[in-house]
Amino acid sequence: MIGGKKPVYLLASGRLRNLKSPDPLLQAVFKESGKTSPTIAYIGTANDDDDSFFNRMAETFRGAGACVVTHAIIAPKTANLKKAKDILRSADIIFISGGDVDRGMDLLNQRNMVNFLAELFQQGKLFFGASAGAIMLAKEWVRWRDPYDNSSAELFPCLG
């Protein structure tokens, strides 16, 4: 840990499916939390807080030893952001799920969550993400305004 910050784990989502035993990468993430059975806050903005995404990942994490996995709902316009922030603050680990990177970051920006998440990281909160969630934890990503025109590519900021 450098300056109070914990490492960030970036995982490919296919790696977390159909496991017959706890994944060693998840075990490493959980161990870094310092807890045998950590609590995990789930962010699903990249998939519009889809319940099937959440349920699939929560089952995987519980199978790997997490004691509680709580969905911090952020995507809906009616989301209770105070409750989401309380869930994120109280968890041992924050997981950012897959889906669409651009959509996920757009929602985090719209809901004024980017600086809040950066503060949690600076305070030593452990983060990990899979697929689009792993990309969202990076500094920036690329989008194409026109998917058929490479000259339309542009970078946009992520969580860093």
Side-chain angles (χ1 to χ4, degrees), residues 4-145:
K5 296 181 217 167
K6 295 193 183 267
V8 175
Y9 291 84
L10 311 175
L11 309 175
S13 66
R15 175 93 175 123
L16 300 176
R17 293 187 188 147
N18 303 320
L19 300 174
K20 298 200 188 294
S21 63
D23 186 291
L25 291 173
L26 288 179
Q27 297 295 297
V29 173
F30 292 2
K31 183 177 180 183
E32 187 68 43
S33 77
K35 305 264 176 104
T36 305
S37 293
T39 59
I40 298 175
Y42 171 100
I43 294 176
T45 56
N47 57 57
D48 286 318
D49 284 322
D50 182 90
D51 285 336
S52 65
F53 270 79
F54 169 73
N55 291 330
R56 187 170 49 249
M57 297 311 300
E59 180 181 345
T60 299
F61 299 152
R62 285 191 293 268
C67 67
V68 174
V69 183
T70 307
H71 195 165
I73 297 174
I74 297 168
K77 288 183 180 180
T78 58
N80 181 339
L81 296 181
K82 181 188 179 312
K83 181 178 179 182
K85 286 180 177 181
D86 289 345
I87 290 167
L88 295 163
R89 261 190 221 98
S90 66
D92 299 314
I93 302 171
I94 295 174
F95 172 74
I96 302 182
S97 187
D100 181 286
V101 177
D102 203 2
R103 174 72 175 155
M105 287 308 305
D106 186 46
L107 284 167
L108 289 177
N109 281 303
Q110 285 178 32
R111 307 295 187 261
N112 296 312
M113 295 294 287
V114 172
N115 288 339
F116 174 75
L117 294 171
E119 289 169 13
L120 291 178
F121 177 72
Q122 293 297 325
Q123 294 166 9
K125 187 71 70 177
L126 179 60
F127 281 76
F128 77 115
S131 193
I135 295 167
M136 289 167 61
L137 287 165
K139 182 177 178 184
E140 51 196 6
W141 189 238
V142 64
R143 70 168 68 97
W144 284 262
R145 291 289 174 193

